[in-house]
Amino acid sequence: MTTPPYPEDLQQPAYPDDLEQPGLVRTGRSTFVRPIRPEDADRLVAFVGGLSRATLAYRSLGPVIRARDDVIRRGAYVDYLNELALVALAGDEIAGLVRYVRDTEDPDHAEVTFTIRDDDQSEGFGRLLLEHIAAAARARGIRVLKADVLADNTRMINVFLGSGYRVESGPPGQIVHFDIAVDPQAQAVARAERREHTAVRRSLRPLLEPRSVAVIGANRSPLTIGHEIVANLLRGGFRGSVFPVNPRAGQVAGARAYPSVRELPEPPDLALIAVRAEAVPDVVRECAAAGVKAVVVVSTGFGETGAAGRSTELELSRFARASGMRLVGPNCMGVVNTTPAARLAATFSPALPTPGRVAMSSQSGPLGLAVLDFARRLRLGFSGFVSVGHAVDVSTNDLLQWWEEDPETSVILLHVETFGNPRRFARIARRVAPRKPIIAVHPGHGHATGQVDPGGRGGSGRRGDPGGPGNAGGRGDSGGRGDSAGHTDPPGPSDSAVSSLFAQSGVIRTRSLQELFDAALLLAHQPPPPGNRVAVITNAGGPAALTVGACVASGLRVPPLGERTRETLRTDLGPGAEVANPVDLTPMATAAHYRQALDAVLADDGIDAAIVLFMPPLADKPDEVAAAILDAAEAAPSKPVVASFLGGAGVADLLHRGELVVPTYAFPESAAASLGHAAAYQAWRSTPAGVVPDLPGVDTDRARSLLAGCAPGPVPPRIAAELLDSYGIAVRDAEPGSGPGSEPGSEPGSRLGSGPDAFLSVGADPVFGPVIAFGLTGDYADLMADVAHRVTPLSDRDAREMVRSLRAAPLLDGRVGGPGVDLSALEETVLRISAMVEDLPEIEAMELRPIRLLPPGDGVAVTRATIRLADETRKGGPS
């Protein structure tokens, strides 16, 4: 193998042969540890590309999907002194990697990071690599290795704590800092404080964990908004000061009132504003002058009233941010944070949630009221709830980042309509979702105005295959073309396309609030299943048959039980029970039968989860049966158990013991659907994310120079062709109506020696931002609704799955109708379009149509391209 040359800004150092050593991991498996070398660049790219989203999340405190090949390759070039990387090899592949980088301001300290391949994470590579890197660092004058680890990354924490080196950790938090003294005789100096919070978290602390709260517009009359906010703050146990502000009241809800914010005894962290809309701007200015750090505008009468109201609320947002305040609303119902650090019930809702592990952002005030009431009836506990209203400043994107690091939150719920910065949502979601499930309720079609359909060509608006949280196919209709420059409202992506986009981002998409809460019940109280194989245990045959059908419809399998499991069940249950799958215990089933059956199926290696049905009027001694179910679930904590128990729903007293909850559903179909969501989420979480590759022939500077001379709206065909050429995509004839095959209605596959024609289009989705659509032209898209959608930036894995996800894929890969097409060239074209859209956010819409798909090795031929630039004056909104 030829050694690649070192980059020009690095001098080639001497390779330290003394660091090459064989090693054994905890399981006895042999490996070879050595310093990284330039010729490992390809191995490093393959190693990073194979890491799952969960591993990336732990490695980088949140996965960064845009990992360019050139950045990854650069990691193979180190000076072996100030930067050193060691690899543990499994055959010719990298199984583990450890790297330190010396602190330039404190040369005897270095930052250290560990990355272990998913399949090897339980074998002890981390501890072995720590031993090797500590010895190498000590020999190079480094005294302390510093590491930041997510608090739930117990494997890495145990490696440090069990290493034998002196380890000191920072204050408890979501991110734990470790100082590891590599000399066992030396006293390592621990970092004095936790690493600084991100800017967003710092800015949201006065909102979600305030020390004092003012309610401006507090009212003496019960059942008014201003009164109920004060009463809820006091009733909810808020530990700080509550200051009602009313110039004509001495007290509100038993708390002393003040005539204005200026006359409060201290500047409050948070102010809730419930006054007439026309008075809100002056109140916000008064809050800024008084030193308030965050405001919640409950008042209505802004954007919902028309353009003037929208202009006013945007001015409020700009003023608040310029004054150092964050603003929630307007037209919202407030903020709730039940965590011990806050106990904040800053809302007028009559139904306050009980503490729990679920957080939710809602864009609708009335919906929020219904949500809190429904959650309370289900006994689903909340850690936080924020009604963002018109979201002119604080948005769901901000809240995701707060809850990402909140140790009291394990599941995040979203009521999604639109986002001020959809690009940011897609990236944040992909970073958060590997560690915490995000469940969103979203209707799909026509969910926002002014959106550009990513499907490209005008279509019938028919739906494609029903999507789901694990549906990576992205099939759907191509929708309408639309013209955002004229503020039209074209049809949005199909329902299945919307599901595809959520699934790519790791977000569990639901279509109703009931489905949202069903999934939340499971994920808040049970682990996601390791696979999609479900056992059904029942005392009634009819409901079991419905459950099996619902499982299949939800992407689950109900496989036969293993022979050993069946033999155990025959012995334990007797001859009257059906021991296939479902396991029918008959109406005479006892609590002991339920316990025996659950123990057996959960011990079966071919089963990942269990649904337990206990139906009236056949049920007898439900308390004993419930105890048996809890005992079995507790004995198998890695496999979820859900129930349909006596027709109840939510967290039932009988199925609740301390921290252990087996959620129950009124109907078994809901239990199956929730398990289907959880299984698809776990499959996404465990799948390698891929990388955004380094693409040769990209000239970003040239592209930006071309855009500098273009006005908003359609780009001239010649400039469009040059822009694509800047990204390595040749357009054979950019003039409309010219060039072979560009005639309207040309049939795919009509030319000898080429495959079907295709299109690629880009549109701005209001939730996800830039979305790429791919499909075959003609009836494939227009009649069969066979179009795949993906959110940018696309990884190599995204591009590969996208072009192979069509129902017409057999025409492309040669399974039907000839040798197929050049899939590699097609995937590269998709990646180049993704890179172009990411680098040039001015591009609002793009379409390449038709694209000639040529035989393998011949590439693709773009014969026509159209590009439209956004009007920057129409952009804005929350971050």
Side-chain angles (χ1 to χ4, degrees):
M1 179 182 295
T2 303
T3 301
Y6 262 74
E8 294 180 359
D9 58 330
L10 291 179
Q11 293 183 350
Q12 184 167 353
Y15 178 79
D17 296 289
D18 60 300
L19 298 183
E20 293 188 347
Q21 296 180 29
L24 291 173
V25 296
R26 178 180 54 81
T27 60
R29 179 178 171 184
S30 180
T31 186
F32 189 76
V33 179
R34 63 165 173 79
I36 203 164
R37 299 190 293 241
E39 53 263 42
D40 292 324
D42 289 338
R43 291 188 186 92
L44 193 58
V45 170
F47 173 67
V48 174
L51 298 176
S52 72
R53 291 179 171 92
T55 294
L56 285 171
Y58 286 125
R59 165 60 182 83
S60 59
L61 310 184
V64 181
I65 195 170
R66 191 176 174 82
R68 295 173 57 91
D69 267 7
D70 57 343
V71 175
I72 298 172
R73 290 175 182 276
R74 185 62 173 259
Y77 298 85
V78 297
D79 62 10
Y80 304 118
L81 177 63
N82 296 313
E83 182 178 7
L84 174 65
L86 302 177
V87 294
L89 299 178
D92 197 42
E93 299 176 345
I94 298 175
L97 169 72
V98 61
R99 183 187 304 272
Y100 79 64
V101 179
R102 193 188 300 266
D103 189 331
T104 56
E105 296 182 359
D106 195 357
D108 63 350
H109 288 59
E111 294 281 352
V112 65
T113 57
F114 295 77
T115 312
I116 311 299
R117 195 169 57 180
D118 285 68
D119 292 343
D120 302 306
Q121 289 178 2
S122 63
E123 297 203 32
F125 278 93
R127 189 158 296 176
L128 175 69
L129 288 171
L130 175 59
E131 177 182 339
H132 283 257
I133 199 70
R138 188 163 57 244
R140 286 155 176 78
I142 293 172
R143 187 168 58 88
V144 176
L145 294 175
K146 306 181 294 182
D148 287 330
V149 183
L150 290 169
D152 57 350
N153 189 356
T154 55
R155 280 179 174 165
M156 202 67 243
I157 290 174
N158 290 336
V159 165
F160 291 151
L161 295 179
S163 65
Y165 299 108
R166 180 169 179 84
V167 177
E168 295 189 17
S169 60
Q174 190 66 8
I175 299 175
V176 182
H177 179 82
F178 288 92
D179 281 352
I180 306 146
V182 297
D183 183 353
Q185 304 302 315
Q187 180 77 27
V189 179
R191 185 176 290 178
E193 296 179 348
R194 251 192 85 179
R195 63 183 305 180
E196 190 177 12
H197 284 174
T198 64
V200 168
R201 275 190 62 84
R202 289 199 306 269
S203 72
L204 292 183
R205 189 169 296 281
L207 171 70
L208 297 172
E209 294 181 356
R211 294 167 297 179
S212 54
V213 181
V215 181
I216 304 168
N219 197 302
R220 287 173 292 188
S221 301
L223 302 182
T224 60
I225 289 177
H227 182 278
E228 294 307 305
I229 293 174
V230 176
N232 279 340
L233 282 165
L234 298 173
R235 186 164 59 242
F238 179 62
R239 293 178 174 178
S241 301
V242 178
F243 303 124
V245 175
N246 185 326
R248 293 179 295 278
Q251 284 189 343
V252 173
R256 178 187 172 183
Y258 297 83
S260 71
V261 178
R262 294 187 301 273
E263 299 179 56
L264 296 179
E266 63 183 71
D269 282 345
L270 172 63
L272 286 97
I273 301 174
V275 300
R276 298 185 316 275
E278 57 267 26
V280 169
D282 287 339
V283 172
V284 171
R285 293 186 185 92
E286 189 176 358
C287 287
V292 175
K293 298 180 178 66
V295 292
V296 175
V297 181
V298 177
S299 309
T300 61
F302 291 92
E304 74 275 16
T305 65
R310 178 63 178 166
S311 176
T312 299
E313 66 186 17
L314 290 177
E315 285 299 322
L316 283 176
S317 171
R318 296 187 188 102
F319 176 81
R321 293 299 289 266
S323 302
M325 297 189 298
R326 298 303 305 268
L327 185 149
V328 174
N331 193 9
C332 70
M333 56 171 286
V335 176
V336 176
N337 186 354
T338 70
T339 62
R343 295 187 179 179
L344 177 71
T347 176
F348 57 86
S349 171
L352 296 180
T354 57
R357 307 289 296 177
V358 176
M360 182 173 184
S361 168
S362 172
Q363 291 185 270
S364 168
L367 178 64
L369 293 172
V371 161
L372 291 180
D373 179 65
F374 186 55
R376 190 171 185 86
R377 285 189 279 121
L378 288 178
R379 298 179 65 185
L380 178 65
F382 274 68
S383 60
F385 179 90
V386 179
S387 169
V388 295
H390 293 172
V392 295
D393 176 27
V394 173
S395 68
T396 296
N397 291 339
D398 296 314
L399 297 171
L400 275 173
Q401 295 185 85
W402 176 270
W403 291 322
E404 174 186 11
E405 298 186 24
D406 179 17
E408 303 295 326
T409 298
S410 59
V411 180
I412 300 171
L413 309 184
L414 305 179
H415 166 232
V416 181
E417 289 179 355
T418 60
F419 288 80
N421 192 333
R423 288 176 183 255
R424 194 166 172 231
F425 167 68
R427 284 154 181 75
I428 294 171
R430 280 184 276 188
R431 187 181 73 232
V432 176
R435 294 177 46 237
K436 297 185 179 183
I438 302 173
I439 313 173
V441 58
H442 187 270
H445 282 291
H447 49 278
T449 60
Q451 87 182 49
V452 178
D453 166 51
R457 194 169 183 176
S460 61
R462 289 176 297 274
R463 297 190 179 192
D465 290 346
N471 174 18
R475 297 168 182 164
D477 63 56
S478 57
R481 176 164 291 181
D483 180 7
S484 68
H487 297 268
T488 60
D489 185 17
S494 70
D495 189 67
S496 60
V498 170
S499 290
S500 169
L501 300 180
F502 274 111
Q504 183 197 353
S505 301
V507 178
I508 300 170
R509 184 269 180 110
T510 65
R511 296 165 180 79
S512 68
L513 285 174
Q514 180 70 62
E515 191 180 2
L516 178 90
F517 281 105
D518 286 345
L521 274 170
L522 191 157
L523 289 167
H525 300 298
Q526 292 282 308
N532 69 344
R533 302 164 299 179
V534 178
V536 178
I537 297 175
T538 184
N539 62 350
L546 291 174
T547 305
V548 172
C551 285
V552 173
S554 301
L556 301 169
R557 294 173 53 215
V558 185
L561 300 175
E563 180 56 40
R564 180 178 297 179
T565 303
R566 293 197 299 272
E567 186 61 36
T568 299
L569 290 172
R570 292 188 190 101
T571 302
D572 292 341
L573 303 179
E578 172 59 52
V579 298
N581 192 8
V583 178
D584 190 347
L585 303 178
T586 77
M588 305 304 295
T590 65
H593 292 146
Y594 271 94
R595 176 65 196 272
Q596 291 163 339
L598 259 178
D599 282 342
V601 300
L602 292 175
D604 192 322
D605 290 338
I607 295 298
D608 302 304
I611 298 176
V612 185
L613 310 181
F614 186 65
M615 295 293 177
L618 308 175
D620 186 28
K621 297 181 179 180
D623 53 340
E624 295 181 7
V625 173
I629 294 171
L630 288 170
D631 290 341
E634 188 172 30
S638 64
K639 295 182 179 182
V641 176
V642 298
S644 184
F645 197 87
L646 295 175
V651 177
D653 285 330
L654 291 178
L655 290 171
H656 182 190
R657 180 193 298 157
E659 295 296 319
L660 177 62
V661 172
V662 172
T664 185
Y665 299 87
F667 301 104
E669 295 92 337
S670 298
S674 300
L675 268 179
H677 285 309
Y681 164 72
Q682 180 62 18
W684 174 89
R685 185 174 180 265
S686 303
T687 301
V691 296
V692 176
D694 182 25
L695 298 169
V698 172
D699 189 344
T700 307
D701 292 338
R702 177 190 172 200
R704 294 194 182 281
S705 177
L706 289 166
L707 285 180
C710 295
V715 173
R718 181 184 59 81
I719 301 298
E722 290 190 39
L723 282 169
L724 288 161
D725 185 67
S726 300
Y727 278 79
I729 301 173
V731 180
R732 292 189 174 181
D733 189 343
E735 292 300 328
S738 64
S742 62
E743 301 82 0
S746 61
E747 293 298 325
S750 61
R751 293 160 313 284
L752 185 62
S754 67
D757 283 351
F759 71 87
L760 280 168
S761 65
V762 177
D765 183 84
V767 173
F768 296 99
V771 173
I772 297 180
F774 167 71
L776 304 185
T777 59
D779 291 347
Y780 294 103
D782 296 341
L783 297 181
M784 297 174 60
D786 193 14
V787 181
H789 299 77
R790 292 294 185 275
V791 182
T792 65
L794 271 67
S795 70
D796 52 359
R797 185 181 183 91
D798 292 330
R800 184 166 56 252
E801 290 178 347
M802 184 181 192
V803 302
R804 289 167 168 78
S805 67
L806 300 181
R807 291 193 293 273
L811 294 173
L812 306 180
D813 61 19
R815 284 177 286 168
V816 174
V821 304
D822 196 333
L823 287 174
S824 296
L826 178 57
E827 293 166 16
E828 183 176 323
T829 302
V830 172
L831 289 169
R832 290 182 182 276
I833 292 296
S834 174
M836 186 175 179
V837 171
E838 286 294 297
D839 293 340
L840 308 174
E842 303 93 328
I843 294 177
E844 182 179 60
M846 182 190 319
E847 184 173 70
L848 279 58
R849 179 194 292 264
I851 301 173
R852 298 283 155 71
L853 304 182
L854 304 177
D858 290 346
V860 300
V862 178
T863 61
R864 185 181 175 188
T866 57
I867 296 175
R868 184 170 66 249
L869 303 184
D871 183 352
E872 295 296 323
T873 63
R874 300 206 324 270
K875 291 190 175 182
S879 57

